Amino acid sequence: MRLSENQVTADIYARFGVDMFKDPLSYEMLRWHLIAMATEGVGIFLLLLIIEYISYNVPDSFRVRKYDSSQDEDDDVKNEEQRVLTGNAKKEFVVLKNLTKIYRTGFQKHTAVNHLSLGIPHGECFGLLGVNGAGKTTTFKMITGDLNPSGGKATLNCNSVGYCPQEDALDDLMTGREHLYCYARIRGIPGADVKIVTKWALKKMKLTGAADKLVRNYSGGMKRKLSTAIALIGKPDVILMDEPTTGMDPKARRVVWDNILSVIADRRSVVFTSHSMEECEALCTRLAIMVSGRFKCLGSPQHVKNKYGQGYTVIIKVDGESPNLRPVQDLISSKFPSANLKERHHSVIQYQIPNKDGTLSTIFKLLEAERKTLKMEDYSVCQTTLDQIFLAFANASAGDIIVNEGAVYDIEEPV
């Protein structure tokens, strides 16, 4: 603006023969501008150094309030946290150390991930379970570097990582083959082998027939299969999969399962999220149920069921047109005092028997001995499922009350 003003003024006065032009590079013209530039340059550079120093050198406890692990009732979670923080997991493929993410909206803040500590070794399939909003996807985004953590660290001690995001990162104007070809080149696969690898990935995920179709014509399940194939390319040491089987039919889901199992057999690791308890039982060597950004339980599927299961569910069906269920009730009540009557209708009665009252063999032995006497047509005994444990944690986190938990539904007529 000063330079333009100087030029316009000089042009006007020049018409009257007066020379009012000032040298643009003179001290009079640039004095305060040069002082301002020098001051801002030095000041802002020093501010940048201070911010960088805080970001990389100030302890996490300064930025994020330390989490009191004594609040966590699960011993397995505390033991895993201690194992990671003492450095016993530093050579494992994936190491999360007090990983934290806090979102701020105005003066309010929401803790999406709350001081997670976890180590995932070679050849493990780790399942991350939780309701929507539990923090699973946020954890994945911090591991991949898509989000910066508010505190803690996520370390990947491996040469390569495959990632299947929750939302397919695909281009509608490219074919499946072109996607795989592109990602194979990005992975650094030699040009001579790109076609071979692409063909292998298409065959592996049963996409050969749709290889040359535009992705916009793919179904939701086919897009998930293509995203999984992209994650498998290059034989990565760790594969992160965010709900990989969502929208797939049972046959396609089985294809993904087989590929995950082959990765584990190859001593590589898989971390995935899922809402399918069946999927977790079939694939996971370890799993964690995540609630409000924290792990509430950790261990193998069987370990979790043994620790948090409510015992055994016993369903008995009595023979006859007008069956008498009272003898069965008297038998169960006398042998298993803590048994909880869940349902009763016409010829079927259901009980929940706690672990402390009896083992699987004890229950089967009793029912088999009294089967003919009490005219039992059939009976079944099953352990508490992962679905029930998952729902229990989810309900507890939401403060829900399970209505009629101990209620007896007495229906005289068949349902």
Side-chain angles (χ1 to χ4, degrees), residues 74 101 119 133 163 181 251 307 318 336 340 346 351 358 368:
D74 188 80
K101 182 63 180 178
Y163 182 37
Y181 188 92
K251 184 178 180 181
K307 187 172 184 177
V318 179
F336 308 108
N340 183 18
H346 192 58
Y351 274 93
E368 192 60 32

Side-chain angles (χ1 to χ4, degrees), residues 313-356:
T313 299
V314 179
I315 301 175
I316 302 172
K317 184 178 181 181
V318 179
D319 194 13
E321 294 183 1
S322 299
N324 183 12
L325 300 181
R326 178 55 58 183
V328 176
Q329 291 182 243
D330 294 340
L331 174 68
I332 299 297
S333 299
S334 61
K335 298 296 182 181
F336 308 108
S338 300
N340 183 18
L341 179 59
K342 305 290 288 185
E343 290 184 39
R344 182 180 65 229
H345 61 83
H346 192 58
S347 62
V348 178
I349 190 169
Q350 177 179 335
Y351 274 93
Q352 187 76 33
I353 300 179
N355 289 322
K356 63 180 181 179

Side-chain angles (χ1 to χ4, degrees), residues 6-64:
N6 178 50
Q7 186 64 49
V8 171
T9 303
D11 291 343
I12 293 173
Y13 276 92
R15 294 182 179 182
F16 301 97
V18 180
D19 185 8
M20 294 292 291
F21 184 75
K22 297 177 182 178
D23 184 3
L25 301 179
S26 65
Y27 178 73
E28 182 183 358
M29 288 289 294
L30 297 180
R31 176 178 53 188
W32 292 111
H33 300 287
L34 291 175
I35 293 173
M37 287 178 63
T39 304
E40 290 176 0
V42 174
I44 293 176
F45 181 70
L46 291 175
L47 179 62
L48 175 62
L49 291 179
I50 294 172
I51 293 173
E52 291 290 330
Y53 178 82
I54 292 175
S55 299
Y56 290 97
N57 296 284
V58 174
D60 296 330
S61 58
F62 180 80
R63 291 177 287 169
V64 180

Side-chain angles (χ1 to χ4, degrees), residues 163-380:
Y163 182 37
C164 175
Q166 187 177 27
E167 297 180 359
D168 300 302
L170 305 174
D171 191 327
D172 287 343
L173 300 179
M174 293 174 64
T175 66
R177 190 187 304 277
E178 289 170 344
H179 273 92
L180 294 171
Y181 188 92
C182 175
Y183 279 96
R185 295 300 299 269
I186 292 174
R187 289 277 185 184
I189 295 174
D193 298 330
V194 169
K195 290 185 178 180
I196 297 174
V197 171
T198 300
K199 185 177 180 180
W200 168 85
L202 290 169
K203 183 178 179 181
K204 196 80 172 173
M205 296 305 301
K206 311 295 184 185
L207 286 171
T208 305
D212 297 312
K213 293 181 180 179
L214 293 178
V215 167
R216 66 184 178 189
N217 297 322
Y218 279 21
S219 65
M222 292 172 68
K223 288 181 179 180
R224 297 306 291 162
K225 287 166 68 175
L226 180 58
S227 295
T228 303
I230 291 172
L232 293 173
I233 279 184
K235 201 176 181 180
D237 297 322
V238 176
I239 300 177
L240 306 173
M241 312 180 82
D242 198 354
E243 299 184 16
T245 58
T246 301
M248 289 188 182
D249 59 79
K251 184 178 180 181
R253 189 178 297 118
R254 176 59 64 178
V255 171
V256 175
W257 290 8
D258 291 341
N259 282 283
I260 291 176
L261 292 173
S262 67
V263 169
I264 301 169
D266 200 25
R267 297 292 296 163
R268 294 180 285 149
S269 298
V270 177
V271 187
F272 76 94
T273 66
S274 177
H275 291 298
S276 170
M277 302 300 114
E278 177 192 7
E279 189 168 75
C280 292
E281 288 199 71
L283 300 175
C284 292
T285 53
R286 276 198 308 166
L287 60 85
I289 295 179
M290 195 171 182
V291 177
S292 300
R294 283 290 295 174
F295 291 154
K296 292 301 180 182
C297 66
L298 179 68
S300 67
Q302 189 59 49
H303 173 75
V304 171
K305 287 195 289 186
N306 290 340
K307 187 172 184 177
Y308 289 99
Q310 300 174 354
Y312 302 96
T313 299
V314 179
I315 301 175
I316 302 172
K317 184 178 181 181
V318 179
D319 194 13
E321 294 183 1
S322 299
N324 183 12
L325 300 181
R326 178 55 58 183
V328 176
Q329 291 182 243
D330 294 340
L331 174 68
I332 299 297
S333 299
S334 61
K335 298 296 182 181
F336 308 108
S338 300
N340 183 18
L341 179 59
K342 305 290 288 185
E343 290 184 39
R344 182 180 65 229
H345 61 83
H346 192 58
S347 62
V348 178
I349 190 169
Q350 177 179 335
Y351 274 93
Q352 187 76 33
I353 300 179
N355 289 322
K356 63 180 181 179
D357 271 16
T359 61
L360 192 65
S361 59
T362 305
I363 298 172
F364 267 113
K365 185 177 180 180
L366 173 67
L367 295 179
E368 192 60 32
E370 301 292 338
R371 181 174 182 175
K372 293 183 178 178
T373 304
L374 300 179
K375 298 181 180 180
M376 298 182 193
E377 183 177 339
D378 57 60
Y379 62 86
S380 67

Side-chain angles (χ1 to χ4, degrees), residues 134-150:
K136 308 185 299 297
T137 300
T138 302
T139 302
F140 266 45
K141 287 184 176 181
M142 287 191 288
I143 294 175
T144 58
D146 192 21
L147 282 178
N148 290 325
S150 303

Side-chain angles (χ1 to χ4, degrees), residues 79-123:
N79 292 338
E80 179 70 8
E81 184 175 15
Q82 186 66 23
R83 186 178 75 90
V84 171
L85 296 181
T86 54
N88 293 329
K90 62 182 179 180
K91 293 185 179 180
E92 295 180 356
F93 271 158
V94 181
V95 180
L96 309 183
K97 186 180 291 185
N98 280 329
L99 192 64
T100 304
K101 182 63 180 178
I102 298 175
Y103 292 103
R104 300 181 186 276
T105 305
F107 294 101
Q108 296 182 341
K109 64 180 182 179
H110 168 66
T111 304
V113 178
N114 192 359
H115 292 80
L116 292 187
S117 294
L118 175 69
I120 299 175
H122 301 62

